[in-house]
Amino acid sequence: MSRPDPAVLAGTCCLVFPDVYEVGMSHFGLRVLAAEVNAEPDLCAERAFAPWPDMAAVLRASRTPLWALESGRPVREFDVVGITLPHELAAATVLGTLELAGIPLCAADRADGDPVVLGGGTWASHPAALEPFFDALFVGDGEGALAGIVREVGEARRRGVPRRRLLEQLGERPEILVPALRGTSAPGARAVRRRLRALPEAWPYAAGPVPGLAAVFDRVTLEIARGCGGGCRFCQAGYVYRPERTRGVEAVVAEAIASLRHTGYDELSLTSLSTADHPRLGELLERLAPLCAGRTVALGVSSLRAYGLPDAALRVLAHTRRTGLTLAPEAGTQRLRDVISKSVGEADLLEGVRRIAAAGWRRVKLYFMLGLPTETDEDLQGIVDLVQRVIAAGRSAGRGVFQAGVSLSTFVPKPHTPFQWEAMPPLPEILRRQELLRRRLRSRSVEVAVHDARGSVLEALLGRGDARAAAAVLAAHRAGAYLDAWTEHFSWDRWQAALEAAGLSVEQAARALDPDAPTPWDHVVDGVSPVFLRRERERAYAARPTPRCDPSPERFRCVACGLDCAPPSGPAVASAPAAPEARPFDASRSSPVVSVAPVPVAAEGAPFDASSLPPADLVASAATPPVWWRMVLRKSGPAVWLGHLDFVRAVVRALRRAGLPPAYSCGFHPQPRLVVGAPLPLGLLGLAEPVDVLFDAPPADPAAWPARLTRRAHRGVEFLELRAMGEGNPHLGRAVAAAEYLVAVPGRDEADARRRAAAALAAERLVVRDPRRPAWQERDARPALLEVEPAAVGARLGALAPPGVGWGLRLVVPVQGCPPLALLGALLLDEAPGAVTAARAALLDRDRIPLR
Ligand code: SF4
């Protein structure tokens, strides 16, 4: 995709995720925001991610600034650098990423030419540990706002508005905190109010970027609701995303169709904080199930609790690819569940287990939290007893086999929750409780996963921290902290030293805060009143749960949290049952609700551009039996960095996007019927890669399809040919015997090529090693060199030849037994690896005839 010249745009934004690509591209918000900004013709959003540590070291050593993926422009050249703040463990990675981008770490050190560093996400609602590093922090829902901010910043920079004035201008927005101007977390600082908008019925997600490399969650994700009225007292998301807003069935179905067509994914997942609470989940699944089945799309539902599911939902889920079901009782006894206001009783839990076991599930995942306020060893034993009863219930209702995966996390007192003032148990005590449960839960039917409590302690210290926490983050960054959410990169010793240097200690996490004293996040108003939070805390200590709320007009039920959801009006709507002790919230913290005109709901499929569908006469009706076809593809440009499996996924997605889906295997995990000749090593050009595919409905006009498929493929993946192979599997994999490679170095002439070819032919041994295989050691690759000769590589590569590439070598090697990259290395030992151009020209059969 060509990128517009930034000089002609009103504003540019680089969205940075402080984790690696595979994690960042799984983040729903980032994909939505990128799509939304790019929907504006005068704006541009690109993406950058934290590189893996080895790549980060290369960038530092070569003084190469971090760049944006789409254009390769340095991140620091954008008008806005928008950093997602998903959790506290990303703190040091934020600084590491800024440093790699060449942007001064502290806002105070940035000059007019530097971008505006804008943070957003859950952590922006209690940002004291981050404030020195950000020019601005956005609190609340970013959709519908980011594009305006990017335009405002871009236009101001182009007019030469001084940085200070620009930040003042941004700070006039009620949802933006400019730490340098507002006195930040100091008592009395001006409040910033969370931006809250109606959940859009439609948004341009269908145009969202599709990752080339497999992301952790590599699928269409549809947010069906935001916020949660459950009111669990430990759950920050349940408070900072209030009120619960759900999307309509028609809107979700229309978006599912558009997204599947646009992206080519064969997996779709519905998501929200608690998907089972969507009031029309059963109806939604019943609409989506046939739609997905007809397109060979796996339908999944995330955050799906096992109890209280409507029958319709259970019926559909039992017949689609099995979605994992969870129980999140969080605590083992009813007393403690009442303390945390978890609105589920044991009878409901066990009944839910019996229903899902009867429907065919053989496993359920149970989430528990250790260290909750007032927890005792009796509550821990309650966890053990409950797990056993769950397994017994599952066995009695199923076929005798039922297992539980038990996840044990640690309670973290989170800002903006009723438990924000609470203490955590000291670290040694948490470790004792973890060990106690590990011992008591030991069983062949139970798999226990225990989360690292040290990370939780750090979360508490940074999340509730003040300016000293910011100093600790800086110290940890300077000591090398990076990617702390990855256990292999997390160093507790490093963080302890950084905390100590900043005047903090681990013991501080174990201290309770004074509920009457100011907190470092008082200046961020999320709409939930502190009066309500204190009242909830008192109810917790009295073990009194609070009923869940529901702002929908049909079931309006309010516990007066302060957000002031409008009660329904008119005779058709029943009056809301008031919660016990409900009272008006503090008017000084009035609701920041922003009304957004609802987007008209489109009919099924209507939002999608019909031009992306194949003309009816280009797809024949279903063949009987299905026929194998051979495609020949070229892999060049950015596609050379797609690994083998990513390349296969890119081919399948292109077929699906173009409306020519491959046939799929049967069973619970259907796979596309595709055969690739042999994996192409990473970084090599592929000039003519054969791929066989089985079509249920083959193309009626094969000549029209290569161009059509190429238009819908990953950049650098080009379809050259498509032709029928006839009935029966042509066994491409077994037909491939050897491969022809071309290798050249810019500036080398024919004489050099002849000398190298002669030397290779004369060599008795060609010693190679494959660094990826320690057991390989040194091997003699000379017998694998079936052919070697000088070749006019530049002419063979044509437009793909880099400047200066003329003469080089043509090699033929078997596909089995010798890694081609190792062999090329042995032939070109005297060349810098980056200077070499290498391509696989063809795969050959036993007679060394190219397979096409
Ligand atoms: S105002 Fe009432 S309905 Fe709205 S989020 Fe708060 S408790 Fe729920």
Side-chain angles (χ1 to χ4, degrees):
M1 183 172 67
S2 64
R3 307 300 299 178
D5 178 1
V8 303
L9 293 170
T12 60
C13 171
C14 186
L15 295 168
V16 176
F17 196 88
D19 208 319
V20 296
Y21 177 91
E22 294 86 335
V23 175
M25 278 309 292
S26 303
H27 192 265
F28 179 68
L30 181 117
R31 292 161 75 158
V32 169
L33 289 175
E36 197 172 76
V37 174
N38 283 325
E40 302 286 321
D42 60 341
L43 302 178
C44 158
E46 301 193 24
R47 294 158 298 142
F49 300 89
W52 288 104
D54 54 351
M55 181 65 177
V58 170
L59 293 181
R60 279 195 194 93
S62 62
R63 296 177 182 275
T64 306
L66 184 69
W67 64 83
L69 289 188
E70 285 84 350
S71 66
R73 273 208 304 148
V75 170
R76 66 183 179 214
E77 291 183 5
F78 286 75
D79 293 316
V80 175
V81 171
I83 303 183
T84 304
L85 301 169
H87 50 72
E88 290 85 348
L89 293 186
T93 314
V94 168
L95 297 199
T97 312
L98 286 173
E99 185 198 42
L100 289 168
I103 297 170
L105 298 185
C106 292
D109 297 332
R110 290 180 200 133
D112 281 352
D114 290 315
V116 168
V117 179
L118 173 71
T122 315
W123 194 9
S125 66
H126 49 291
L130 292 170
E131 289 181 4
F133 314 118
F134 281 85
D135 298 306
L137 289 149
F138 183 97
V139 183
D141 299 327
E143 302 106 325
L146 183 60
I149 293 170
V150 173
R151 184 175 289 109
E152 184 178 339
V153 172
E155 288 175 349
R157 280 164 56 98
R158 281 153 191 66
R159 289 200 313 275
V161 173
R163 188 177 188 82
R164 176 92 184 172
R165 175 69 203 113
L166 171 55
L167 295 180
E168 284 170 356
Q169 200 176 307
L170 282 179
E172 285 165 13
R173 292 175 180 250
E175 66 273 13
I176 287 189
L177 169 71
V178 178
L181 303 179
R182 295 203 186 191
T184 70
S185 50
R190 203 180 117 198
V192 56
R193 291 175 182 276
R194 174 168 70 114
R195 182 175 184 275
L196 176 62
R197 67 174 302 191
L199 201 55
E201 285 293 290
W203 57 48
Y205 171 71
V210 176
L213 312 183
V216 175
F217 299 126
D218 204 16
R219 59 202 179 200
V220 169
T221 302
L222 299 180
E223 187 185 32
I224 61 171
R226 189 175 300 174
C228 174
C232 299
R233 289 172 178 138
F234 57 84
C235 176
Q236 188 182 47
Y239 289 88
V240 299
Y241 292 117
R242 280 188 174 211
E244 188 174 18
R245 292 152 281 168
T246 56
R247 300 182 67 209
V249 170
E250 296 300 331
V252 175
V253 170
E255 190 180 325
I257 294 169
S259 300
L260 289 170
R261 284 180 185 163
H262 179 86
T263 61
Y265 276 126
D266 56 10
E267 192 173 341
L268 181 144
S269 176
L270 305 181
T271 185
S272 77
L273 283 175
S274 178
T275 42
D277 287 325
H278 190 285
R280 294 169 70 191
L281 180 66
E283 182 187 343
L284 186 53
L285 289 173
E286 284 189 316
R287 290 282 302 279
L288 287 174
L291 189 153
C292 290
R295 292 165 169 78
T296 330
V297 170
L299 175 60
V301 185
S302 65
S303 304
L304 187 63
R305 55 167 163 73
Y307 54 88
L309 280 176
D311 284 339
L314 210 51
R315 226 177 15 249
V316 171
L317 292 171
H319 287 92
T320 58
R321 185 185 289 187
R322 286 288 154 88
T323 288
L325 290 176
T326 61
L327 296 173
E330 307 293 356
T333 59
Q334 192 58 50
R335 182 202 68 81
L336 194 49
R337 284 197 290 277
D338 289 342
V339 168
I340 63 176
S341 197
K342 188 80 197 179
S343 60
V344 61
E346 187 167 315
D348 293 333
L349 287 171
L350 298 182
E351 176 55 24
V353 170
R354 278 189 281 272
R355 285 178 68 217
I356 65 164
W361 273 265
R362 298 284 166 262
R363 190 174 197 276
V364 72
K365 195 160 184 184
L366 293 127
Y367 290 103
F368 292 100
M369 195 171 272
L370 301 187
L372 287 161
T374 77
E375 183 180 76
T376 64
D377 279 9
E378 201 178 309
D379 299 303
L380 300 180
Q381 182 58 41
I383 292 177
V384 178
D385 297 340
L386 182 57
V387 170
Q388 286 168 354
R389 284 197 282 272
V390 161
I391 292 172
R395 283 184 178 159
S396 69
R399 289 190 212 129
V401 179
F402 201 81
Q403 295 183 321
V406 176
S407 170
L408 302 173
S409 62
T410 304
F411 163 69
V412 176
K414 289 281 188 182
H416 301 288
T417 69
F419 286 166
Q420 63 181 2
W421 300 280
E422 300 307 311
M424 289 178 81
L427 187 55
E429 172 59 17
I430 298 172
L431 298 177
R432 182 193 74 81
R433 296 184 197 186
Q434 288 180 343
E435 187 49 34
L436 182 149
L437 281 177
R438 259 202 206 97
R439 251 187 298 112
R440 294 190 188 173
L441 285 169
R442 201 167 287 148
S443 155
R444 273 194 298 185
S445 305
V446 182
E447 191 183 328
V448 181
V450 182
H451 296 247
D452 189 343
R454 299 167 307 174
S456 303
V457 171
L458 187 57
E459 270 184 60
L461 284 165
L462 299 184
R464 296 199 300 183
D466 52 20
R468 290 172 300 169
V473 171
L474 191 57
H477 159 72
R478 287 184 173 143
Y482 186 66
L483 295 180
D484 289 303
W486 294 77
T487 47
E488 61 266 49
H489 299 301
F490 178 72
S491 165
W492 181 233
D493 291 344
R494 184 160 47 207
W495 270 103
Q496 275 186 297
L499 293 167
E500 209 170 293
L504 291 167
S505 69
V506 175
E507 288 70 36
Q508 263 158 311
R511 283 185 206 150
L513 305 182
D514 178 358
D516 296 320
T519 65
W521 54 91
D522 275 351
H523 58 305
V524 179
V525 179
D526 67 352
V528 176
S529 107
V531 175
F532 175 78
L533 295 183
R534 287 196 185 89
R535 183 159 54 88
E536 279 297 288
R537 180 172 178 269
E538 286 161 18
R539 290 176 68 88
Y541 278 98
R544 296 175 66 190
T546 295
R548 65 171 297 126
C549 76
D550 187 337
S552 66
E554 305 82 23
R555 297 170 305 280
F556 190 77
R557 178 191 184 104
C558 179
V559 293
C561 76
L563 271 169
D564 200 18
C565 296
S569 57
V573 184
S575 60
E581 300 164 33
R583 54 185 161 136
F585 64 92
D586 178 357
S588 67
R589 300 214 142 177
S590 60
S591 164
V593 172
V594 177
S595 296
V596 175
V599 179
V601 178
E604 183 170 302
F608 188 65
D609 173 11
S611 67
S612 71
L613 292 173
D617 59 348
L618 287 187
V619 180
S621 54
T624 312
V627 173
W628 282 92
W629 287 64
R630 176 151 302 163
M631 305 181 292
V632 180
L633 293 101
R634 182 151 56 206
K635 190 180 175 202
S636 63
V640 302
W641 302 113
L642 293 180
H644 175 62
L645 294 177
D646 291 322
F647 173 64
V648 172
R649 275 190 284 267
V651 171
V652 172
R653 282 202 296 261
L655 290 166
R656 295 180 64 97
R657 281 178 194 153
L660 185 65
Y664 276 69
S665 60
C666 299
F668 255 132
H669 295 278
Q671 297 297 316
R673 303 288 303 275
L674 219 74
V675 180
V676 180
L680 180 64
L682 196 67
L684 263 64
L685 296 162
L687 303 189
E689 296 293 308
V691 178
D692 286 352
V693 57
L694 192 69
F695 290 124
D696 286 326
D701 180 4
W705 278 96
R708 187 175 192 87
L709 288 163
T710 300
R711 280 201 300 277
R712 284 156 181 79
H714 188 283
R715 270 187 300 164
V717 174
E718 194 179 342
F719 289 74
L720 305 178
E721 283 179 45
L722 193 67
R723 63 193 160 81
M725 301 293 287
E727 291 177 24
N729 189 336
H731 298 301
L732 176 63
R734 271 182 261 158
V736 175
E740 178 192 20
Y741 290 95
L742 300 171
V743 56
V745 176
R748 298 291 186 269
D749 58 13
E750 184 177 353
D752 179 76
R754 291 195 178 285
R755 183 180 57 75
R756 286 179 188 275
L761 283 171
E764 287 188 7
R765 280 171 59 83
L766 276 173
V767 176
V768 300
R769 0 174 16 124
D770 184 352
R772 294 166 304 171
R773 301 184 200 174
W776 226 67
Q777 298 299 331
E778 292 185 347
R779 294 230 338 228
D780 179 14
R782 180 61 188 85
L785 197 56
L786 304 177
E787 296 178 24
V788 56
E789 62 181 358
V793 173
R796 293 272 311 263
L797 295 182
L800 298 180
V805 165
W807 279 82
L809 298 178
R810 172 187 170 275
L811 322 171
V812 174
V813 298
V815 289
Q816 299 288 346
C818 179
L821 285 182
L823 182 55
L824 295 179
L827 291 173
L828 298 161
L829 273 182
D830 54 339
E831 302 290 351
V836 176
T837 294
R840 186 158 76 187
L843 289 172
L844 310 174
D845 67 12
R846 280 183 183 72
D847 300 322
R848 298 191 194 163
I849 309 276
L851 286 156
R852 288 192 68 123

